[in-house]
Amino acid sequence: MMAGALGVAGWEEKMSRRNIFIRLNVKIVSFVLAMTVGGMAGCGAAHQMQYYQLTVPAEKPHSEANSSGVSLAVGPLASSHLYREDRIVYSADQQRMGTYEFQRWSEPPAEMIQEVMLRDLRASGHYRDVSLQRSNSRADYVLHGRLYDFKEVAGEPLQARVAMEFDLKDTKSGATVWSHYYNHDEPVGGRDVPAMVAALDRNVQRGVEEIKASLDQYFSSQPANK
């Protein structure tokens, strides 16, 4: 009987130690899960997605008095796949480029620049009509573009590079009658992404103004408008 009693006591002690071990394990697992969930929530807050856009001119009432009588269609900009996506591009050296993960454009750069060009040409009041190129377009001229660079360039100071080229095609003759290449590095007034975006925006606005002035010069040199 004594041996049996001791056996029961030993069994109860063993089960008590086992229960304590189980409770400790449960607490450890709960703590690890809480830390993991908290860490994931922290990462989400720290890496919130940010979106940026270029400044697009507001639509202005069309003025017939300032119209040249020429109609334009603005075609899409050709570009590498990097500028047909929404990621912001940076270059670390001449050959190596990368993209920011959590800072992005609201639209692909090639599409944003096409929209800026369209709105600026309309707002100028120098043309009878300015529209996006479509399959049924009947414009006198079509403006085609290619975007070569639209990125942050490492260095001292940091630079925002824009390089693009536009050609003007006469739809009657099919000939390319005008072209203009723009390339400029705009200094960035800071070391963060918003400062770099602002510099790219200034650079695009500068380029569009230069291209508009070159187009005006071309049309003013023609003996008669269409």
Side-chain angles (χ1 to χ4, degrees):
M1 293 295 293
M2 183 65 66
L6 287 173
V8 171
W11 180 82
E12 288 180 345
E13 183 180 355
K14 179 179 179 181
M15 292 303 294
S16 178
R17 288 199 301 269
R18 181 183 177 187
N19 289 338
I20 291 171
F21 178 76
I22 290 172
R23 287 197 295 272
L24 283 173
N25 277 348
V26 169
K27 288 182 179 179
I28 291 170
V29 170
S30 299
F31 175 76
V32 170
L33 285 173
M35 291 296 291
T36 302
V37 172
M40 290 173 65
C43 287
H47 297 108
Q48 184 177 1
M49 198 74 75
Q50 300 288 331
Y51 290 92
Y52 302 90
Q53 62 185 10
L54 297 178
T55 303
V56 178
E59 292 280 6
K60 293 182 180 179
H62 184 69
S63 174
E64 288 292 341
N66 295 329
S67 174
S68 65
V70 170
S71 61
L72 291 179
V74 180
L77 273 71
S79 69
S80 73
H81 74 277
L82 282 175
Y83 304 130
R84 294 196 299 270
E85 298 176 357
D86 65 355
R87 294 174 184 265
I88 296 177
V89 178
Y90 65 85
S91 62
D93 50 45
Q94 291 293 329
Q95 289 79 33
R96 188 160 49 98
M97 294 192 295
T99 59
Y100 288 102
E101 180 63 28
F102 300 102
Q103 289 83 23
R104 303 192 181 193
W105 297 109
S106 60
E107 296 178 83
E111 295 179 16
M112 289 193 297
I113 293 174
Q114 181 191 25
E115 183 68 17
V116 172
M117 180 65 73
L118 175 77
R119 294 285 191 91
D120 259 323
L121 288 170
R122 279 180 178 170
S124 71
H126 296 173
Y127 304 96
R128 185 178 78 248
D129 180 63
V130 181
S131 61
L132 289 175
Q133 183 187 20
R134 298 183 177 87
S135 59
N136 60 348
S137 294
R138 296 184 178 181
D140 299 321
Y141 295 89
V142 178
L143 191 65
H144 294 285
R146 181 168 185 84
L147 180 62
Y148 297 107
D149 285 309
F150 186 75
K151 64 186 179 183
E152 170 190 310
V153 179
E156 292 295 338
L158 200 64
Q159 305 278 346
R161 178 171 297 168
V162 175
M164 54 187 176
E165 187 172 19
F166 282 87
D167 299 319
L168 189 68
K169 181 180 178 180
D170 185 321
T171 57
K172 282 188 177 179
S173 67
T176 298
V177 296
W178 168 95
S179 64
H180 189 90
Y181 177 72
Y182 175 82
N183 182 22
H184 177 67
D185 287 350
E186 179 74 14
V188 179
R191 304 299 299 183
D192 56 8
V193 173
M196 187 268 295
V197 167
L200 281 170
D201 188 30
R202 291 194 303 272
N203 206 346
V204 169
Q205 307 305 325
R206 181 181 187 273
V208 169
E209 288 298 321
E210 184 178 303
I211 290 164
K212 283 197 310 177
S214 181
L215 273 173
D216 287 344
Q217 185 177 7
Y218 167 76
F219 283 116
S220 64
S221 68
Q222 300 308 297
N225 293 321
K226 296 192 175 187

